[in-house]
Structure formats: C-alpha cells, structure tokens
Amino acid sequence: MIPAVVFVTVMVVLFLGTFMLNKNTPAPVDMRISDARCSACSNYGCALKQEEAEES
Amino acid sequence: MSWTVFFVAIFSSMLINNVVLMKFLGVCPFLGVSKKTNSALGMSAAVMFVMVIAAFVSYLLYYLVLVPLEIEYVQTISFILIIASLVQLVEMIIKKVSKKLYKSLGVYIALITTNCAILGIAVENITSDFAGQYGLFPGLAVAVTTAFGAALGFGLVMFAFSSIRERLEGSNVPEAWKGVPVSLITAGIMALAFAGLGGIVG
C-alpha cells in the first residue's frame, strides 16, 4: 500500500511540475492561436472558447 | 521474432482493430474535430506524436516500476498522470523548438489529455502481454509499433471522415438529417466497412 501511495504522489508531483513549467513557458510571439476561433473544436472547457462566448 | 510481427501489428491496429471504428475509443475528437480536414489532420498528427511516446513510456513504467514494486493495480491512474505530464512536456518542447509546429498542433495538443484512445492503447499494450510473448524489449518494440499503427488508423479515419463531412456540407441532405445525424450515419457505414476487414489476420 505504501509504495502505491508514494508512487502516485510522485506521479502527481511530476504532473504538477510539468504543468507549471508549461504554464511558465511563453508561447512564441504572434502565436496567439486564432485557429481555435473556429467551429471545428467542441471543447467548451477551452479558455479561447470561453473568451469567444463572452465576446459574443 | 520476424518482421512479420511488426507488419501484422501495424496492419492489425490500423485497419482491423481500428481504434475509433472498432474499439470506439477517441470518439470525442472523431466527432468534434472532424468538421474541417485541416483540423482533423492537425489533431491526428498531435495524437500520433503523443500516442507513440505514451505507449513507450507507459510500457517501461509498467514493467520496470509497477511490476517490481507489485503495485500493478495503480496502472490506470499512473498512465493517466503519465499521459497528462507527457502532453504538458510535449507542448512545452514544441513551444520552444518549433513555432511552425506549435501553430499547427498547439490547439490540439491540450485536447489530447482527455483522448481515451491514448490511454486505451497504453492499457492494451499491457493486457496483450507483449513482454510475455516476445520478451521485455522486443515486446516494447511491438507495443510502440502497435501504437504507431493505431495512430495511423486514427489519422486515416479522421481524414476520411472529415473529407466526407466537408462534402456533405455542400450536398443536398434531407433537412432532418443535416449536421450530426448524417455524420453519425456516415460513421456507422465507415465502421461497417472496417468490420469487413475482420479475420484477415488471425
């Protein structure tokens, strides 16, 4: 049981680490993804979709 | 182990056991990101990228960490976390390395975290017991080849389905069938076509 808990904790920390690193990595300049403002994607959890909904 | 094993692995996972139309995994992006061919191709490329890496990492994680520690029961949660971490890592690397690749895959990379096809293939590589059949590292090669074939199959059906949907946009479809109904009927007919390939490889 203890190895499992330790292992899962390590995995969660690994995920949080990569998430924070990715969040702090700036996207290339002029790479604001305007392609997402299309009807192709149905992911309404996406921040761009939410922005789009607020604008409209 | 001959080359036939790899050929069968690719052919089988791409066409006969197609991840979308035969196993019904990854149906969300199949329906959601297939309105335009460009989006479908972008999503397919991103899935291929992550699926192969996830198969490689999850296989090694299972046999080199989970089995020796006798904690195989945390397989699913660890694979989910590995895939989520990989997606973050891949996105970060793409941001740094290639502006062009980020432009074409950037939107889709994040969506892959919730693509069950990736997890499905990673789990199936373990349940297929490639390590028991071929040995640990030859089994790894077969697992990665299977994942590559599955990703090719995903790309193939995404491309075909998005092309059909684009043509349906301009065609004379009965009012009640427009949009989702005709898309689902199309997907069903495509699944029947793929089912016809069953039995080619024993």
Side-chain angles (χ1 to χ4, degrees):
Chain A
M1 184 69 185
I2 293 168
V5 172
V6 172
F7 179 75
V8 171
T9 310
V10 169
M11 298 302 293
V12 170
V13 170
L14 179 76
F15 169 68
L16 290 175
T18 52
F19 178 79
M20 290 313 293
L21 278 174
N22 184 28
K23 204 176 173 187
N24 293 330
T25 305
V29 188
D30 76 348
M31 273 308 114
R32 187 86 170 110
I33 305 161
S34 55
D35 292 354
R37 295 178 187 279
C38 66
S39 58
C41 164
S42 302
N43 182 9
Y44 290 96
C46 169
L48 289 168
K49 281 274 176 193
Q50 286 166 7
E51 276 175 27
E52 202 176 49
E54 280 166 17
E55 281 168 17
S56 62
Chain B
M1 190 170 66
S2 67
W3 289 106
T4 323
V5 174
F6 294 104
F7 175 74
V8 170
I10 287 196
F11 189 75
S12 166
S13 57
M14 182 178 167
L15 297 173
I16 299 164
N17 297 313
N18 188 278
V19 71
V20 180
L21 297 176
M22 291 291 114
K23 293 177 185 163
F24 306 110
L25 295 171
V27 174
C28 172
F30 176 67
L31 293 173
V33 197
S34 59
K35 279 186 186 166
K36 291 176 184 172
T37 308
N38 282 345
S39 316
L41 287 176
M43 186 67 181
S44 306
V47 165
M48 185 179 290
F49 206 62
V50 176
M51 193 180 268
V52 173
I53 300 171
F56 180 83
V57 175
S58 59
Y59 182 95
L60 288 178
L61 184 83
Y62 183 82
Y63 286 108
L64 299 181
V65 180
L66 299 188
V67 172
L69 291 175
E70 296 178 351
I71 50 169
E72 294 95 328
Y73 54 88
V74 293
Q75 166 191 307
T76 309
I77 192 164
S78 58
F79 285 3
I80 290 170
L81 287 166
I82 271 288
I83 291 165
S85 307
L86 270 175
V87 167
Q88 299 297 327
L89 207 64
V90 165
E91 190 177 350
M92 191 173 63
I93 292 168
I94 288 176
K95 269 183 195 172
K96 284 282 182 194
V97 172
S98 171
K99 198 172 163 179
K100 200 175 171 185
L101 199 62
Y102 182 69
K103 193 178 180 185
S104 54
L105 300 185
V107 188
Y108 309 108
I109 288 276
L111 292 176
I112 291 174
T113 311
T114 54
N115 187 344
C116 59
I118 312 271
L119 178 65
I121 292 297
V123 171
E124 201 186 86
N125 280 338
I126 302 303
T127 51
S128 300
D129 194 24
F130 291 135
Q133 289 178 51
Y134 306 109
L136 182 61
F137 290 105
L140 172 65
V142 178
V144 171
T145 310
T146 304
F148 181 65
L152 282 179
F154 182 83
L156 178 74
V157 295
M158 284 289 281
F159 178 69
F161 190 56
S162 60
S163 305
I164 294 169
R165 284 186 83 174
E166 276 190 353
R167 290 199 68 171
L168 283 171
E169 288 281 315
S171 56
N172 188 18
V173 179
E175 194 60 39
W177 282 26
K178 275 187 180 165
V180 177
V182 77
S183 300
L184 291 175
I185 290 166
T186 309
I189 294 169
M190 282 176 72
L192 281 175
F194 273 77
L197 295 166
I200 291 179
V201 179

